[in-house]
Amino acid sequence: MAIPKVIGTETEYGIAAVGQPDFNPVLSSSMLISSYAGSLRRIRWDYEDESPLRDARGFEPVAGRELSDEDLGLANVILPNGARYYVDHAHPEYSTPECLSPRSLVIHDKAGERILERSLAIVAAEIPSSPALAIYRNNSDGKGNSYGTHENYLMDRATPFGDIVRDLTPFFVSRQIFTGAGKLGLEAQWDERGKHVFQLTQRADFFETEVGLETTLKRPIINTRDEPHADPERYRRLHVIVGDANLCEVALFLKLGTTSIVLKMIEDAFLPDFSLVNPVAAIHDVSRDVSLRTPVSLTDGRKMTALQLQWEYLELARKYVDREDDTQENREVVERWESVLRGLESDPRTLSAQLDWVAKLRLLEGYRERDGLAWSDAKLRAIDLQYHDVRRDRGLFHRLAHSGKVERLTTDEEVERAIMEPPEDTRAFFRGRCISKYPDAIAAASWDSLILDTGRDALQRIPMREPLRGTRAHVEELLDACEDAAALVDRLTG
Amino acid sequence: MPEQEQKRIQKKGGGEAGDDAGQVTSSSKANELKEEMDDILDEIDSVLEENAEEFVKSYVQKGGE
């Protein structure tokens, strides 16, 4: 029997300094994060005055602050919503708290995007000596360098990894038709085709092998990193590196929702064999054909387009959900999945409010036609990049959303709330609430533990190896009853 | 920007007989979509970085994942 899909995303954001191409991205990322974390201290205090939304939105600029040691180190903080915000190599990275549903994760993933936007505003207000920074939610600089948007799914350790590889690979190759964020240009060194082609995804160019441990070179379609951040006897954390960063909420919801259902089907051995002859070539071919007509070869001799493969997965998912997992959210995933496949089949342009690659292509085509530009024009590359700018007054996706041309699945209020509030139905609730309530007693935190310093001789480590323990239902009363961290430790060990 | 602005207005005004002749045969829905689109296209120039072409050329990201 499949286990509940506890899910989360990790997004590395692109960072640039306007007019200063030789800026230091590591230092600037760290400055963004430590400035945001510093402002939280004030937010948290105000929060205890029972006005969380107002406080979460606002911050008081401190005029003329100089860089401090905190800015110069590699910032790495756990936030009151249970998320992790840190410097990864040369990027700011946001890892959402663990969520129990795709919709909840869409909200938290979008809250992360807002946190990046807010961090920019805080740095601009507090550190005048900082260069003017810009942040992009994308996965490529257009020059052969990629940075990741990773998905994580809790899986049953008992499911053989070979089954996951076999059944998930054709799904990852074909899901690109709705998960792609679109990209102008080809970046694979070996590719002889025209360099100014528009393709479905940001990431396909960077995938060179079928299975492996790497994430920065020779990237594999199925990543084998085995770091469960939970009881390793029972769980695996499937670390998915093959996806794009989505701005469109419908694309993001479908990416997370369809993959969650497919993984449950794999755990329940519900899928037939769709193995592809050459998955690596197929992932490139599918990404490079916006007409969606290119067939891929299956090992059983059939040839199918990505769209046909997705129809197969959808029909099986519908049966699976009816028989095994009939929840309201799964029904919504299946309905939206079908609606998007129908749109892709009849005319993809009808999906510009739902899918990033369609929305971006429409902008590029419109601009190109209006100004009579060649596809090789650098202005079009600039528009591609600007689509991903996280600032709501500058990013082209956000301008589309502002004028009602993008379908929302969340409300601004839900996203604002998730900037400060953890999900209630996973262990992120316990982590986030402890950060809010006992900030000075948290010596360290990780996904599966908290280490408390209560002023006694030894630090106290609280293991959290079950992702579905530590929910609001489990611990709210306990936390309400404990004035300080020492009381919490006493209750937990008593 | 004024030059581009002028170009756009001319195109809008003379569209039916001139450059956009091919559009006449397309459905009215497509034309509606196009008009909607024009509003967003008008915004693009105002939100791109100054020297957008240079900026995007210098946008290089090293290290990640």
Side-chain angles (χ1 to χ4, degrees), chain A residues 130-436:
Chain A
S130 162
L133 298 173
I135 294 287
Y136 301 93
R137 184 176 161 101
N138 64 356
N139 304 102
S140 156
D141 65 2
K143 298 162 192 75
N145 303 307
S146 187
Y147 32 104
T149 297
H150 299 170
E151 303 146 61
N152 297 285
Y153 300 87
L154 191 72
M155 292 202 67
D156 188 340
R157 175 66 68 173
T159 302
F161 198 73
D163 291 5
I164 299 174
V165 174
R166 183 193 61 220
D167 293 343
L168 198 53
T169 303
F171 179 72
F172 280 165
V173 167
S174 52
R175 75 171 190 170
Q176 295 184 98
I177 60 177
F178 56 82
T179 62
K183 182 172 76 179
L184 181 54
L186 302 185
E187 294 178 272
Q189 299 285 332
W190 44 266
D191 204 303
E192 300 287 313
R193 287 170 273 195
K195 291 287 177 196
H196 304 294
V197 171
F198 184 85
Q199 57 176 320
L200 302 181
T201 74
Q202 297 257 308
R203 286 281 274 176
D205 281 341
F206 302 99
F207 283 76
E208 299 175 60
T209 58
E210 294 177 31
V211 184
L213 190 55
E214 296 283 357
T215 58
T216 57
L217 48 105
K218 294 239 173 253
R219 292 181 183 87
I221 296 170
I222 305 286
N223 183 247
T224 54
R225 181 181 295 177
D226 191 1
E227 197 184 15
H229 297 314
D231 181 352
E233 302 288 318
R234 300 184 60 188
Y235 302 117
R236 178 189 300 289
R237 172 181 63 118
L238 186 73
H239 184 237
V240 175
I241 67 169
V242 78
D244 281 7
N246 291 112
L247 280 300
C248 283
E249 292 181 359
V250 173
L252 178 57
F253 175 75
L254 275 179
K255 177 174 78 179
L256 303 167
T258 61
T259 305
S260 294
I261 293 175
V262 167
L263 290 173
K264 283 189 161 185
M265 291 198 283
I266 292 172
E267 285 174 332
D268 284 333
F270 200 83
L271 289 169
D273 189 350
F274 292 121
S275 292
L276 304 176
V277 173
N278 188 340
V280 174
I283 206 166
H284 299 146
D285 289 345
V286 168
S287 180
R288 281 145 204 227
D289 177 22
V290 291
S291 78
L292 312 179
R293 292 196 192 107
T294 299
V296 297
S297 299
L298 278 63
T299 52
D300 64 12
R302 284 184 290 171
K303 283 183 185 297
M304 295 169 80
T305 64
L307 190 54
Q308 286 167 334
L309 267 170
Q310 281 296 312
W311 278 118
E312 297 277 337
Y313 277 104
L314 169 63
E315 288 314 319
L316 289 157
R318 198 196 307 278
K319 279 189 198 128
Y320 179 80
V321 166
D322 281 349
R323 282 186 215 163
E324 310 282 344
D325 204 13
D326 190 9
T327 63
Q328 194 189 332
E329 187 158 45
N330 275 344
R331 284 199 298 277
E332 189 187 346
V333 171
V334 166
E335 276 164 31
R336 287 192 173 275
W337 194 354
E338 176 176 359
S339 154
V340 160
L341 294 187
R342 282 197 191 290
L344 288 169
E345 195 162 68
S346 59
D347 181 0
R349 285 173 297 181
T350 58
L351 298 172
S352 62
Q354 282 101 30
L355 303 185
D356 287 301
W357 74 263
V358 179
K360 186 190 283 180
L361 180 58
R362 195 173 154 215
L363 281 180
L364 290 170
E365 280 181 334
Y367 199 86
R368 198 181 77 86
E369 282 168 25
R370 191 192 73 178
D371 291 356
L373 302 177
W375 277 110
S376 58
D377 197 293
K379 195 90 179 249
L380 297 179
R381 300 277 180 147
I383 289 170
D384 184 339
L385 178 61
Q386 197 61 25
Y387 180 84
H388 300 274
D389 192 321
V390 300
R391 291 170 295 182
R392 282 171 293 183
D393 59 341
R394 299 291 292 271
L396 292 177
F397 167 81
H398 290 295
R399 298 317 300 158
L400 288 169
H402 179 74
S403 55
K405 293 182 176 62
V406 170
E407 184 179 349
R408 294 284 304 268
L409 299 181
T410 66
T411 63
D412 288 344
E413 290 71 25
E414 286 174 318
V415 175
E416 279 298 331
R417 189 175 160 76
I419 288 174
M420 292 300 287
E421 298 284 323
E424 297 182 350
D425 47 10
T426 69
R427 66 184 174 190
F429 184 82
F430 181 72
R431 181 189 312 116
R433 278 292 191 269
C434 284
I435 298 279
S436 296

